[in-house]
Amino acid sequence: MSDARARTRSGLIALAAALATTGALLGGPGAAADDGQRARAQDVWVSPHGHDDAPGTAHRPVRTLDRARQLVRSRTAHLTADLTVHLGPGTFRLDHPLALDAADSGGNGHTVVWQGTGSTVLSGGARVTRWRPAPDHPGLWSAPAPQGLDNTRQLYVDGVRAERAAGALPVTLTRTDTGYTASADTLAHWRNPADLEFVYTGGTGVFNARTYGLGGWTEPRCPVAAVHGTEITMAQPCWDNSTKRAVFPDNPGRTVNMVGPGSLTEHAQPAYLENAFELLTQPGQWYLDRTERTVYYRPRPGEDLTDDGTDVEAPVLQQLVTAAGTAQAPVHDLAFRGLRFEYATWLTPSTPEGFSEIQAGYTLTGPNGYATEGLCGYAQGGSCPYGAWTKEPGNVSVQHGQRVEFSGDVFTHLGAAGLELGDGAQQSTVRDDVFTDISGNGVEVGGTDVTDPATAADITRDNLVTDNHLYALPVEFRGGVAVLNGYSRHDTISHNQIDHIPYTAISLGWGGWPDKIKHPATPNYSHDNEVSDNLIHDHMQVLDDGAGIYTQGLTGSSLADGEKVTGNVIHDQWGIGKAVYTDNGCTYETVAGNVMYGVSFADVASRHTDYRDALGNNDPTLISGNWWEEGTPDGDNKGLVTRDNHLLADPSDAPDDVVAAAGVEPGHRWVLDVRTAEPAVPAAPLRVGTFAADGAVYATWSPAYVDHGSPVESYRLTATGGGRSVTAEVSAEDFARTGYGVVPGLADGTAYTVTVTARNDRGRGAESVPAAPVTPTTGGGAQPAAITGVTGYASAGAVSLHWAVPESTGDTPVIGYTVTASDGRTIAVTGRDALDTQPARKAMFRVVDGLEPGTTYTFTVAAVTATGTGPVGTATVTTPAS
């Protein structure tokens, strides 16, 4: 083990010991931290250094989890107290999942506790050793694939995820029915072209970054099946599921699944390629040559693979723990405490199924998925219920589990969803856990199967997700979310901190899409769910059309039992979306007492017609008592009630008690200090878009939200063209303020590509995939259009100023706005929303504070481009008397 890895481990051991001393490691029944806890004869001890012929006592522990499970089964019939399986420190390397069922449950009112030390690792990985410099490839290293490693999608070096080899397309592609025709046969000459994966990143298309994917909230992936000359055949069924989604015959623009387009954008190229030896150009990238059974890696600065202490791990298993009950025989009364779940992968996206995303990590699968999956009642042969698509599996999974607890655990270095509490999850708890460095969703509760409520054992209900820290995830399937809750009753998601994520933080509900064709949402059994007192920030870092808290579909039968979103603090969103997004069919939602600021497009939205009858009302929704920048006045818009909200002129004006209560509670905040590896250089930025001006190139990009434990300090832009490269440095603070950077001193008439790297105190990370080339021209482009639709919603001392985004000005898009007030102030409006709202045609708003009560003000707004400032729009607003 390297010194860095050892320091991280020893720090966690010390933390676990401190928690055990204070009883903070969830001292429920059977926990090792209970005061006065004494070892019981029924308990089982396990150590990586034990022996399965031993009796499983404290002094003679067994070695494997399977043997421990056998001993537990022999002792559960007559429990008089909780039975604890004491898992010692160190790594348990699993060659198959720990599989539990109803027979492994607690009984007689007592729990079977699988108790770790905080440094107990359940690993599905294989260590990669015997590294040597790769011949004829300076800077590249190779090692034989360990036994059992036939495929994987992840590699970790001293606990830091390496980046799967990725890069830009070396050719131009033209779509065909079966794939593409390339402009040259370049890919056919690569080492293993059938290993290639095409990635289609969704987005709004800021600057010249084209919109890929199957909606701005998605990042689908399809493998290549074969390359012959210039003909590229894509893998099936991924290709059909991503390009032939069923559409309504009388409405060809509307897919029958009603979520996103029916096909990958016709003229779009993949955003980038992944998984090829030829793409191994950046430090920190890796590739597994399955034919040669060789792992290749290009070390980051300071990494020494000749050191036997360097820990390189390749995940092999796809699941670490499965607790699988049935409706008739649920698994129950289990607890997993103080454990680290690490190094599991998920291989379905590497098969011809690929990853044909719909939303929130759900995909279409099977050879007829595009025509039938989840299309009940709307397509011939459609499977039921409507909207029941394929969910990501959990690397740790519970199906039909009652009173199952995960507490004081760490879920990290995982390749699917971290933890899945599937259909029939009841009275289960996810508390005081850390979720990070996970490829897909963090926590999944329930699903999309509308079970007959009479089948009580299948209903998801009464689950608690609280006091967890979820951050820097998903890192591979970026359309996923931190906490996903499907159909359920009485579930509570509360006091979590969720930060630095590529898309939505918390997503609830399902089945609301039929309102797009004026049908009511899919009936379901959900009611009385609560999302309260969470702290969410730095979300929507890559994708668009999401939220801090996203919800849709029927949430109950009235406002009394509908979903409650209360007391959350949500701020500093990057992409286009909302703080709280009430999407299709969202009915009986209450959004109250939240603090929301620094959000693109809207704080709470949106309005939807209630199609359960023909009255033309809106879905009943109550938005009250929030502190927000949106400033929408009180009103009752056909059932969409807005009242008693407060205009937030400055974040410091938010009520102290709401801010203090949001996020992880005192006594549990140690989860905010847990890290799973020593700090390292940041990941490469994503979605670089550019446009050219006179003698300069402007660039924007998605932040390096995976900073590997050390905040990003700056970004470097490198513009390459005409035989030279020009760089510019942008501080992270300036980038957050403006949303872009500029490379000046370029030659007009020369085409340039731009890459971006991120730097923290550990050094500079890998280069991004380059943006498409752009060419600076003398004069720089057209002047911006005039601003229209300026209006303001005022409080006694501030106004929320709103305006319509002007038409695109071609090759010089809007980069900001200038607001002037009649009191003599001029305010520069910049930020990512100033860039994103133009191609998305969304409105802008900003709060202007420092106003006098009972005073009339005139405001003007003008758009700013690299070429100049356009004509103004004007509004006159009178502040109310205090």
Side-chain angles (χ1 to χ4, degrees):
M1 179 183 294
S2 70
D3 290 342
R5 186 71 167 158
R7 285 195 300 272
T8 301
R9 263 313 145 72
S10 62
L12 287 168
I13 293 171
L15 176 60
L19 291 167
T21 300
T22 62
L25 191 60
L26 300 153
D34 280 351
D35 292 338
Q37 171 87 13
R38 293 181 301 172
R40 299 183 178 95
Q42 66 181 1
D43 285 359
V44 177
W45 276 261
V46 195
S47 167
H49 311 292
H51 196 287
D52 279 356
D53 288 336
T57 61
H59 297 291
R60 296 182 62 197
V62 297
R63 184 179 64 83
T64 67
L65 304 189
D66 281 351
R67 179 57 180 152
R69 173 177 175 261
Q70 290 175 348
L71 293 175
V72 168
R73 279 194 167 188
S74 69
R75 302 175 185 185
T76 55
H78 305 291
L79 289 181
T80 59
D82 290 349
L83 188 161
T84 299
V85 181
H86 302 271
L87 298 168
T91 298
F92 291 87
R93 290 193 180 272
L94 309 180
D95 57 13
H96 59 276
L98 172 63
L100 307 176
D101 59 30
D104 301 296
S105 302
N108 300 328
H110 301 291
T111 301
V112 173
V113 181
W114 293 77
Q115 177 72 59
T117 65
S119 63
T120 302
V121 178
L122 304 189
S123 171
R127 192 171 183 191
V128 185
T129 58
R130 294 188 288 160
W131 289 95
R132 299 290 183 271
D136 303 320
H137 295 282
L140 190 65
W141 288 66
S142 66
Q147 186 176 1
L149 182 66
D150 300 317
N151 200 1
T152 190
R153 296 181 62 87
Q154 296 84 31
L155 189 76
Y156 300 87
V157 180
D158 280 340
V160 178
R161 182 180 292 231
E163 297 190 25
R164 208 163 173 233
L169 275 164
V171 293
T172 300
L173 303 179
T174 302
R175 272 269 301 274
T176 67
D177 287 342
T178 58
Y180 297 96
T181 298
S183 57
D185 65 354
T186 307
L187 298 181
H189 297 288
W190 284 13
R191 179 182 290 199
N192 295 306
D195 280 356
L196 273 171
E197 194 167 285
F198 286 9
V199 184
Y200 304 83
T201 301
T204 57
V206 291
F207 290 177
N208 75 335
R210 289 161 288 186
T211 300
Y212 307 95
L214 290 159
W217 55 93
T218 67
E219 193 174 63
R221 296 163 169 265
C222 276
V224 169
V227 181
H228 299 288
T230 60
E231 294 304 310
I232 300 172
T233 302
M234 301 299 292
Q236 296 287 14
C238 186
W239 186 244
D240 282 353
N241 287 337
S242 303
T243 61
K244 295 182 178 180
R245 294 184 179 179
V247 298
F248 288 105
D250 57 348
N251 187 356
R254 175 70 66 196
T255 57
V256 180
N257 62 42
M258 304 179 217
V259 184
S263 178
L264 296 168
T265 307
E266 185 68 28
H267 301 292
Q269 311 287 287
Y272 59 94
L273 307 183
E274 198 169 277
N275 200 38
F277 177 84
E278 289 74 11
L279 299 174
L280 277 168
T281 61
Q282 296 294 310
Q285 289 185 332
W286 69 279
Y287 170 70
L288 169 62
D289 189 319
R290 292 181 296 159
T291 303
E292 289 187 351
R293 295 195 52 76
T294 300
V295 182
Y296 291 92
Y297 177 64
R298 190 173 292 278
R300 299 179 177 100
E303 291 177 337
D304 183 4
L305 297 184
T306 62
D307 178 6
D308 289 339
T310 300
D311 182 24
V312 181
E313 298 280 347
V316 176
L317 293 187
Q318 299 191 64
Q319 290 190 299
L320 300 174
V321 175
T322 63
T326 65
Q328 295 74 31
V331 62
H332 60 89
D333 298 295
L334 286 175
F336 301 87
R337 300 172 180 164
L339 299 173
R340 291 168 59 94
F341 300 99
E342 298 190 30
Y343 302 124
T345 189
W346 178 36
L347 297 179
T348 296
S350 295
T351 72
E353 287 284 6
F355 189 77
S356 181
E357 190 169 23
I358 292 275
Q359 182 174 335
Y362 288 88
T363 59
L364 289 183
T365 57
N368 257 348
Y370 65 94
T372 62
E373 188 175 5
L375 302 185
C376 180
Y378 291 103
Q380 185 175 5
S383 63
C384 296
Y386 180 77
W389 299 305
T390 301
K391 184 173 64 173
E392 291 174 354
N395 291 132
V396 177
S397 175
V398 179
Q399 304 294 330
H400 284 96
Q402 298 177 3
R403 297 177 301 281
V404 179
E405 173 194 312
F406 292 86
S407 52
D409 299 322
V410 176
F411 295 78
T412 189
H413 312 329
L414 300 174
L419 171 62
E420 178 191 11
L421 301 182
D423 289 332
Q426 299 181 355
Q427 298 176 278
S428 293
T429 300
V430 182
R431 178 176 59 195
D432 283 11
D433 297 320
V434 175
F435 295 82
T436 189
D437 190 19
I438 297 171
S439 289
N441 297 321
V443 179
E444 297 179 335
V445 183
T448 62
D449 187 0
V450 186
T451 304
D452 181 353
T455 312
D458 290 320
I459 293 175
T460 300
R461 61 177 176 84
D462 300 300
N463 300 295
L464 179 66
V465 179
T466 186
D467 287 308
N468 303 289
H469 188 201
L470 305 99
Y471 69 98
L473 81 159
V475 291
E476 187 175 359
F477 310 112
R478 299 184 185 94
V481 302
V483 180
L484 178 64
N485 191 333
Y487 299 133
S488 67
R489 293 178 180 171
H490 293 283
D491 282 355
T492 299
I493 302 170
S494 183
H495 286 294
N496 303 286
Q497 178 168 318
I498 303 174
D499 60 88
H500 294 88
I501 55 175
Y503 182 53
T504 290
I506 301 173
S507 181
L508 297 97
W510 205 250
W513 304 280
D515 85 349
K516 295 183 177 181
I517 58 169
K518 302 183 179 181
H519 288 195
T522 305
N524 69 81
Y525 61 76
S526 296
H527 62 75
D528 288 295
N529 293 310
E530 175 186 332
V531 185
S532 60
D533 302 302
N534 298 285
L535 174 59
I536 298 169
H537 64 87
D538 293 285
H539 54 294
M540 305 288 296
Q541 297 276 286
V542 179
L543 300 177
D544 295 305
D545 202 10
I549 300 170
Y550 173 95
T551 184
Q552 63 141 293
L554 295 166
T555 75
S557 59
S558 68
L559 283 172
D561 71 0
E563 194 170 279
K564 307 297 190 296
V565 177
T566 62
N568 303 283
V569 175
I570 305 171
H571 65 87
D572 290 317
Q573 174 181 298
W574 189 251
I576 286 291
K578 296 90 177 172
V580 179
Y581 192 166
T582 57
D583 205 0
N584 296 109
C586 184
T587 307
Y588 300 123
E589 180 91 1
T590 297
V591 182
N594 304 282
V595 173
M596 301 168 281
Y597 59 91
V599 174
S600 299
F601 178 42
D603 288 325
V604 181
S606 53
R607 181 198 66 77
H608 289 278
T609 301
D610 187 349
Y611 291 109
R612 293 176 300 166
D613 54 42
L615 298 177
N617 293 321
N618 292 320
D619 291 328
T621 306
L622 176 61
I623 303 170
S624 69
N626 300 287
W627 288 262
W628 62 359
E629 296 178 320
E630 183 179 333
T632 303
D634 289 359
D636 184 346
N637 184 0
K638 298 182 178 180
L640 173 58
V641 177
T642 305
R643 69 184 183 210
D644 302 326
N645 297 291
H646 315 278
L647 183 59
L648 187 64
D650 187 275
S652 64
D653 296 335
D656 292 341
D657 58 338
V658 176
V659 173
V664 178
E665 297 172 281
H668 303 261
R669 290 178 181 163
W670 59 270
V671 299
L672 302 178
D673 299 322
V674 173
R675 292 295 179 265
T676 61
E678 285 291 299
V681 298
L686 301 163
R687 286 187 63 205
V688 181
T690 54
F691 77 85
D694 191 347
V697 169
Y698 286 63
T700 188
W701 57 93
S702 293
Y705 71 97
V706 180
D707 61 22
H708 290 143
S710 177
V712 173
E713 297 175 352
S714 66
Y715 295 92
R716 176 175 292 170
L717 287 65
T718 302
T720 302
R724 69 184 187 118
S725 293
V726 180
T727 63
E729 201 83 11
V730 179
S731 72
E733 181 180 4
D734 284 347
F735 179 58
R737 178 176 54 83
T738 65
Y740 63 85
V742 185
V743 184
L746 303 182
D748 289 339
T750 298
Y752 292 90
T753 60
V754 173
T755 59
V756 183
T757 60
R759 181 182 64 81
N760 61 15
D761 67 1
R762 301 302 164 129
R764 190 171 300 282
E767 284 187 345
S768 68
V769 173
V774 291
T775 303
T777 57
T778 304
Q783 293 289 328
I787 297 296
T788 60
V790 185
T791 189
Y793 305 125
S795 68
V799 61
S800 179
L801 203 62
H802 295 233
W803 62 91
V805 171
E807 293 284 344
S808 173
T809 53
D811 57 358
T812 51
V814 170
I815 56 174
Y817 297 87
T818 297
V819 174
T820 63
S822 55
D823 61 6
R825 285 183 290 167
T826 299
I827 301 160
V829 175
T830 59
R832 180 63 172 221
D833 60 339
L835 313 180
D836 279 345
T837 50
Q838 187 174 21
R841 302 295 295 150
K842 304 294 186 182
M844 284 286 297
F845 67 92
R846 280 295 188 276
V847 175
V848 180
D849 63 355
L851 305 181
E852 294 293 329
T855 304
T856 299
Y857 291 87
T858 299
F859 299 94
T860 66
V861 183
V864 178
T865 70
T867 307
T869 301
V872 302
T874 303
T876 299
V877 182
T878 300
T879 57
S882 59

